[in-house]
């Protein structure tokens, strides 16, 4: 049996208690799991700071010191109780502070002894200290001279309490590394890739990721292991895509008929943009073949995705098939229903609407019409995915604002049609970064609308503090005088729904005082309202009967009121970037100059500041998506959590775009050249893919 399958409990120095902790805190069950538990940074053990040089300017910086622990004393009481050690080198003295675990620390450290101290400088109102430093007796430190870059492993309070902090883990890892042989970690990449990329072997890379002798070794190991992760993911995604394209037949939409042409010649209210035309061509080409289309349509807010959706639906109709358009919210679905019904008025197309609020007799009737083929287009929410919904012949399913639907939900659409699955078009609400798209939608073909309809003015974005509120109200009044409309949006985050609702209600009171009836009319929409009430309020605003719309983020996606020119966002610091960009996209939809006002409190975190700066600096959704990825990391981008395929150990989509691109290209070439990895030099891939495919089965769209 490979050593990697051995339970972690049996590693020297672990035992049952620690094993339990490693399992629950780190998900490490076996030697193999632990081998793949990578450091998240490294300490350069060759460099020491002088205490004299540590000043207020170094707040937050990591430093390493060499000196003597002089005195230990407990100070303060209650919550401020702490253990303070005074640490001295030839140049000065600095305080080491522990707020927790004082007993254990006091027992394990000795005054008068020389230590190497590693930690992060903290400047609290000019008082410099190093809280919770890593301490190692100098003698021990010097005994293992070879270690110049010490790995730092992620730890938790529970682990630290059982002596499994970064240093404790480092010790265990050293023990494990001495046991592991090249046979335990066989190569998973073909020799020619290793040569071409100048990669170390897998065994070497894993050894070096834990204990690099120098930065060059570390860099090579990191590059290699990031590549491994991205390469096998891409290989799997491309394999799935290829399989589907080859095997999954689809309905051939060979006709471009009267519906499409009639609409294009007589009904379409504007000239399509170049990007819209190109994308429609791409879709048309897909649909003409006897293969199922699976296409992602990316486009910025307001780039005109709805029109592309409609024209695709017309293609389905021309070929005798039904089409479904699904949106994530009731309001958005209704708006699509409205606008599409208006666009095709007089063409004799039968359109149905289905959501959770369609009940009783109406629902029954609709379901019957759908099953009998008496409805051509159906527009609705995820209610369309439910089991009782049957189609006569669903040829096309479009999901709008895809990031709200889970992968599982999406795959349910496939089953709504026989003998072939419907063609699928997935539209995103806001752009997602390329690296992320290649990953979570890596098995789809991608079209991009990278052009806005002509005549759009950039929305001017301004940041205001609470103290500027009266000026903001004044500005709203001016715009309303000009006949325009205004949104005021409050965050609504599930955990604090009650509190948020209170915010909104207080906001409503204050705005009502400053914008009194009957001169001003105000709509209010929030998630706790009944759909019918929401719709009523929404409609009043759409018709221009109210000038101000106070809302939670229920209006975030899709809502289209071209006469609205001001978007005031309250508590901006609580919104994510893509959400802010979505909200801003609600204005700037007509010909008038529009404004987005980001209101915040006075205290802002660095993250919030950067988000606000990004918003003020650019209107381009693709740029914002990249900034978002860098700020938050891929796992936090809305809608990606459940995908599971972003749980990288070492790769980082915000940093590793180039590696990803290379990995994808190489994967593509291999699949073209040797799709089943039958050539002898591909046997490492073949062996590894067996395990890999199992591991990632959860996110297969087809499965
Ligand atoms: P999104 O891509 O955000 O879903 P929409 O489809 O809602 O954008 O379109 C935004 C607005 O732009 C709508 O009012 C729509 O009628 C308009 N529009 C779309 N395409 C064009 C075009 N080619 N020329 C002018 N206006 C357009
Ligand atoms: Mg839209």
């Amino acid at each position: 049996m490979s050593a990697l399958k051995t339970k972690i409990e049996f590693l020297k120095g672990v035992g049952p208690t620690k094993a339990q902790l490693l399992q629950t805190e780190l998900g490490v069950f076996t030697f193999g799991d632990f081998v793949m538990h990578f450091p998240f940074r490294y300490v350069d053990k060759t460099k020491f700071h002088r205490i004299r040089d540590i000043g207020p300017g170094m707040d937050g910086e990591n430093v390493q010191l060499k000196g003597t622990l002089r005195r230990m004393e407990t100070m303060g009481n209650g919550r401020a109780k702490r253990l303070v050690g005074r640490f001295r080198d030839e140049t000065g003295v600095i305080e080491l502070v522990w707020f927790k675990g004082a007993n254990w620390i006091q027992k394990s450290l000795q005054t008068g002894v020389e230590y190497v101290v590693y930690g992060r400088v903290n400047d609290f109102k000019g008082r410099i200290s190093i809280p919770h430093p890593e301490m190692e007796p100098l003698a021990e430190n010097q005994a293992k001279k070879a270690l110049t870059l010490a790995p730092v492993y992620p730890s938790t309070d529970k682990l630290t309490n059982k002596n499994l902090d970064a240093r404790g883990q480092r010790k265990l890892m050293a023990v494990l590394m001495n046991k592991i042989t090249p046979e335990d970690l066989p190569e998973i990449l073909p020799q020619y890739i290793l040569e071409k990329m100048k990669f170390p072997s897998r065994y070497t890379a894993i050894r070096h990721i834990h204990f690099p002798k120098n930065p060059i070794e570390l860099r090579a190991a990191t590059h290699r292991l990031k590549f491994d992760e991205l390469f096998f993911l891409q290989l799997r995604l491309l394999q799935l895509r290829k399989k589907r394209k080859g095997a999954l037949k689809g309905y051939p939409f060979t006709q471009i008929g009267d519906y499409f042409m009639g609409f294009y010649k007589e009904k379409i209210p504007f000239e399509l943009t170049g990007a819209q035309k190109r994308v429609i061509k791409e879709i048309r080409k897909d649909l003409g073949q006897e293969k199922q289309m699976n296409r992602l349509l990316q486009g910025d807010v307001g780039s005109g995705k709805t029109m592309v959706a409609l024209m695709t639906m017309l293609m389905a109709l021309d070929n005798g098939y039904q089409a479904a358009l699904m949106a994530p919210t009731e309001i958005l679905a209704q708006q699509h229903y409205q606008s599409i019904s208006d666009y095709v008025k007089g063409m004799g197309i039968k359109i149905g609407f289905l959501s959770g609020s369609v009940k009783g007799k109406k629902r029954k009737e609709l379901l019957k019409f759908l099953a009998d083929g008496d409805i051509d287009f159906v527009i609705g929410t995820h209610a369309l995915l439910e089991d009782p919904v049957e189609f006569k012949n669903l040829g096309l399913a479009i999901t709008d604002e895809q990031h709200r639907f889970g992968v599982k939900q999406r795959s349910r659409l496939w089953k709504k049609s026989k003998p072939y699955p419907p063609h699928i078009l997935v539209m995103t609400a806001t752009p997602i970064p390329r690296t992320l798209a290649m990953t979570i939608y890596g098995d789809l073909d991608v079209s991009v609308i990278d052009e806005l309809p002509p005549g759009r003015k950039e929305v001017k974005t301004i940041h205001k503090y609470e103290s500027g509120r009266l000026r903001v109200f004044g500005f709203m009044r001016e715009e309303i005088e000009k006949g325009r409309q205004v949104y005021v949006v409050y965050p609504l985050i599930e955990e604090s729904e009650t509190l948020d609702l209170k915010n909104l209600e207080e906001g409503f009171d204050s705005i009502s005082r400053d914008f009194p009836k009957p001169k001003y009319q105000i709509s209010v929409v929030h998630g706790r309202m009944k759909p019918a009430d929401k719709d009523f309020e929404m409609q009043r605003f759409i018709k221009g009967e109210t000038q101000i719309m106070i809302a939670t983020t229920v209006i975030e996606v899709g809502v289209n009121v071209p006469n609205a020119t001001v978007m005031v966002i309250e508590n901006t610091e609580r919104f994510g970037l893509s959400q802010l960009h979505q909200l801003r996209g609600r204005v700037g939809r007509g010909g008038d100059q529009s404004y987005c006002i980001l209101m915040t409190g006075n205290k802002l975190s660095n993250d919030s500041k950067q988000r606000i700066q990004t918003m003020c600096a650019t209107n381009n959704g693709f740029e914002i998506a990249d900034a978002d990825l860098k700020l938050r990391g891929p796992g936090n981008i809305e809608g990606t959590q459940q995908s599971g395929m972003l749980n990288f150990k070492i790769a980082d989509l915000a940093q590793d775009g180039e590696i990803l691109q290379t990995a994808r290209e190489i994967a593509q070439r291999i699949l073209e050249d040797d799709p089943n990895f039958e050539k002898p030099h591909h046997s490492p891939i073949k062996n590894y893919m067996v395990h890999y495919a199992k591991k990632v089965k959860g996110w297969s769209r087809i499965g």
Side-chain angles (χ1 to χ4, degrees):
M1 186 171 89
S2 157
L4 296 190
K5 298 221 169 96
T6 313
K7 290 213 178 91
I8 194 67
E9 183 183 339
F10 302 118
L11 185 67
K12 192 163 172 279
V14 177
T17 319
K18 285 185 179 175
Q20 187 61 39
L21 266 182
L22 289 170
Q23 282 174 23
T24 51
E25 297 294 289
L26 300 175
V28 168
F29 291 81
T30 61
F31 285 15
D33 295 335
F34 200 43
V35 160
M36 298 305 283
H37 174 59
F38 295 154
F40 69 104
R41 61 185 172 83
Y42 300 81
V43 182
D44 185 346
K45 291 285 185 181
T46 58
K47 292 207 180 79
F48 292 94
H49 291 80
R50 296 188 302 184
I51 291 177
R52 187 172 63 203
D53 299 336
I54 298 174
M58 289 177 69
D59 188 35
E61 259 180 63
N62 289 311
V63 294
Q64 183 172 246
L65 308 170
K66 188 162 50 177
T68 313
L69 185 63
R70 304 307 306 189
R71 206 169 67 211
M72 299 279 269
E73 56 187 326
T74 307
M75 295 171 79
N77 43 41
R79 297 192 70 208
K81 190 167 169 186
R82 62 201 185 271
L83 179 66
V84 177
R86 291 172 67 78
F87 188 76
R88 178 193 292 276
D89 68 4
E90 305 91 71
T91 68
V93 179
I94 194 165
E95 277 185 3
L96 312 176
V97 186
W98 290 267
F99 296 95
K100 274 188 247 167
N103 283 342
W104 189 80
I105 298 287
Q106 218 154 7
K107 253 183 264 164
S108 63
L109 297 179
Q110 271 180 296
T111 50
V113 168
E114 281 188 298
Y115 283 95
V116 170
V117 166
Y118 182 81
R120 189 179 291 240
V121 177
N122 182 36
D123 172 11
F124 182 71
K125 297 183 179 157
R127 190 170 178 153
I128 308 285
S129 68
I130 302 183
H132 293 265
E134 239 182 76
M135 307 278 294
E136 188 170 35
L138 184 65
E140 247 179 68
N141 182 271
Q142 284 177 337
K144 41 174 195 201
K145 261 205 193 70
L147 205 62
T148 55
L149 284 170
V152 181
Y153 295 94
S155 189
T156 62
D157 277 350
K158 281 188 189 157
L159 288 168
T160 304
N161 288 341
K162 285 278 176 283
N163 206 9
L164 285 172
D165 58 358
R167 187 163 151 243
Q169 291 184 48
R170 196 182 300 148
K171 279 186 180 165
L172 292 180
M173 194 62 81
V175 175
L176 179 58
M177 280 298 136
N178 279 331
K179 291 187 99 66
I180 300 293
T181 64
E183 286 70 44
D184 293 322
L185 287 165
E187 192 46 69
I188 59 178
L189 291 178
Q191 188 60 28
Y192 74 92
I193 295 183
L194 295 183
E195 278 163 24
K196 180 172 173 244
M197 302 293 293
K198 300 197 174 61
F199 280 153
S201 72
R202 181 167 166 82
Y203 173 72
T204 307
I206 287 178
R207 287 193 78 89
H208 287 176
I209 202 75
H210 291 294
F211 297 107
K213 279 203 209 62
N214 53 52
I216 296 169
E217 275 188 4
L218 175 60
R219 213 173 307 136
T222 310
H223 190 192
R224 154 83 213 240
L225 294 171
K226 283 176 179 225
F227 181 90
D228 282 2
E229 246 186 331
L230 295 169
F231 172 75
F232 281 95
L233 179 60
Q234 289 303 320
L235 197 61
R236 183 67 186 145
L237 289 168
L238 290 167
Q239 204 181 29
L240 288 176
R241 177 164 98 167
K242 193 165 168 156
K243 217 189 241 170
R244 198 194 46 229
K245 277 191 150 179
L248 280 173
K249 289 203 171 164
Y251 305 109
F253 292 180
T254 49
Q255 305 287 325
I256 289 299
D258 291 346
Y259 285 113
F260 186 93
M261 287 318 287
F263 178 78
Y264 190 59
K265 287 203 178 115
E266 284 156 34
K267 293 275 179 182
I268 195 165
F270 40 67
E271 170 91 4
L272 293 175
T273 63
Q276 283 171 319
K277 282 186 193 156
R278 174 170 43 75
V279 165
I280 289 171
K281 253 190 219 141
E282 285 167 2
I283 292 172
R284 211 169 123 173
K285 190 160 165 249
D286 270 10
L287 297 177
Q289 291 154 7
E290 281 171 60
K291 304 278 162 62
Q292 187 214 13
M293 173 174 81
N294 263 276
R295 191 165 276 279
L296 171 71
L297 176 56
Q298 279 229 64
D300 209 342
V301 182
S303 61
K305 294 185 288 288
T306 316
M307 183 50 71
V308 173
L310 169 59
M311 297 195 65
T312 309
M313 292 164 88
L314 292 169
M315 290 183 216
L317 190 54
D318 270 335
N319 288 275
Y321 290 93
Q322 294 171 302
L325 171 59
M326 200 165 66
T329 66
E330 171 99 18
I331 289 181
L332 184 55
Q334 284 190 1
Q335 197 155 35
H336 278 322
Y337 176 71
Q338 270 309 319
S339 53
I340 286 183
S341 303
D342 287 348
Y343 280 137
V344 302
K345 199 174 263 157
M347 292 181 70
I349 299 175
K350 283 154 286 172
I351 309 183
F353 180 82
L354 182 68
S355 75
S357 69
V358 178
K359 292 200 177 94
K361 201 175 142 222
K362 259 181 123 177
R363 187 183 192 87
K364 248 195 191 145
E365 204 175 73
L366 184 96
L367 293 182
K368 184 173 181 306
F369 286 162
L370 271 181
D372 292 349
D374 292 334
I375 280 178
D376 303 314
F377 293 169
V378 64
I379 296 171
T381 60
H382 53 262
L384 285 170
L385 294 173
E386 284 161 18
D387 284 338
V389 181
E390 280 173 28
F391 293 84
K392 174 153 183 269
N393 59 355
L394 181 67
L396 168 73
I398 303 180
T399 60
D400 192 13
E401 325 296 357
Q402 169 61 29
H403 65 307
R404 296 250 177 139
F405 290 107
V407 168
K408 280 222 187 73
Q409 282 179 312
R410 204 189 316 161
S411 66
R412 287 171 69 176
L413 275 172
W414 291 54
K415 305 192 184 108
K416 296 276 176 196
S417 183
K418 292 231 162 59
Y420 305 140
H423 295 293
I424 305 272
L425 184 66
V426 164
M427 307 198 289
T428 60
T430 42
I432 39 179
R434 244 175 67 79
T435 51
L436 202 56
M438 272 198 262
T439 308
I440 49 179
Y441 299 115
D443 64 336
L444 307 187
D445 295 307
V446 180
S447 290
V448 180
I449 309 187
D450 49 6
E451 183 186 351
L452 294 181
R456 291 279 169 80
K457 290 200 180 77
E458 287 224 327
V459 178
K460 286 202 175 120
T461 305
I462 308 145
H463 173 207
K464 286 277 179 198
Y465 292 103
E466 198 48 47
S467 52
R469 178 165 301 278
L470 285 182
R471 302 256 305 272
V472 173
F473 278 3
F475 180 71
M476 285 164 56
R477 221 170 271 125
E478 281 171 32
E479 285 290 302
I480 293 170
E481 283 307 312
K482 290 192 215 157
R484 316 269 187 270
Q485 290 163 285
V486 176
Y487 292 103
V488 181
V489 178
Y490 290 82
L492 187 78
I493 297 169
E494 273 153 41
E495 304 107 62
S496 54
E497 218 174 305
T498 334
L499 184 76
D500 286 328
L501 212 52
K502 194 162 152 261
N503 275 342
L504 179 137
E505 277 158 5
E506 280 169 9
F508 174 72
D509 288 344
S510 126
I511 293 170
S512 309
R513 270 192 304 274
D514 272 69
F515 296 85
K517 282 182 180 171
K519 184 162 184 213
Y520 299 99
Q521 297 292 327
I522 303 176
S523 290
V524 181
V525 173
H526 59 77
R528 288 261 181 106
M529 288 162 69
K530 289 201 191 100
D533 296 341
K534 255 192 267 185
D535 188 47
F536 177 77
E537 287 289 302
M538 210 53 229
Q539 289 304 333
R540 290 210 304 151
F541 189 68
I542 292 171
K543 287 184 199 140
E545 294 167 10
T546 59
Q547 296 93 24
I548 301 176
M549 159 66 75
I550 299 180
T552 55
T553 42
V554 290
I555 63 140
E556 177 192 339
V557 275
V559 175
N560 192 25
V561 182
N563 189 47
T565 56
V566 183
M567 166 64 65
V568 179
I569 302 177
E570 299 286 346
N571 299 112
T572 302
E573 56 270 48
R574 288 185 45 199
F575 290 94
L577 260 180
S578 74
Q579 235 182 345
L580 290 172
H581 182 60
Q582 259 295 324
L583 285 170
R584 177 167 62 183
R586 301 308 107 215
V587 296
R589 302 192 144 235
D592 304 307
Q593 179 61 55
S594 293
Y595 305 86
C596 175
I597 302 173
L598 307 174
M599 302 293 298
T600 69
N602 288 325
K603 258 196 127 171
L604 289 179
S605 69
N606 273 341
D607 252 30
S608 308
K609 273 186 208 150
Q610 285 198 41
R611 282 202 297 273
I612 288 163
Q613 271 168 14
T614 308
M615 284 296 291
C616 293
T618 180
N619 268 276
N620 181 319
F622 287 91
E623 281 173 26
I624 287 175
D626 277 336
D628 201 19
L629 180 60
K630 291 219 164 75
L631 278 173
R632 292 200 297 166
N636 292 318
I637 304 276
E638 200 180 338
T640 62
Q641 287 91 337
Q642 78 274 62
S643 73
M645 62 183 82
L646 295 174
N647 299 331
F648 294 118
K649 283 192 184 305
I650 187 164
D652 174 356
L653 292 183
Q655 311 280 337
D656 301 331
E658 265 178 60
I659 304 178
L660 173 57
Q661 184 67 40
T662 312
R664 188 169 170 94
E665 279 163 19
I666 294 178
Q668 205 136 23
R669 234 170 291 145
I670 291 175
L671 285 176
E672 273 159 29
D673 163 51
D674 184 18
N676 299 314
F677 319 122
E678 276 156 355
K679 297 191 177 168
H681 57 265
H682 284 148
S683 65
I685 295 185
K686 188 170 188 168
N687 294 337
Y688 187 64
M689 271 312 255
V690 177
H691 303 287
Y692 188 78
K694 258 189 230 145
K695 202 172 83 183
V696 298
K697 201 164 163 231
W699 47 257
S700 156
R701 261 172 212 94
I702 300 165

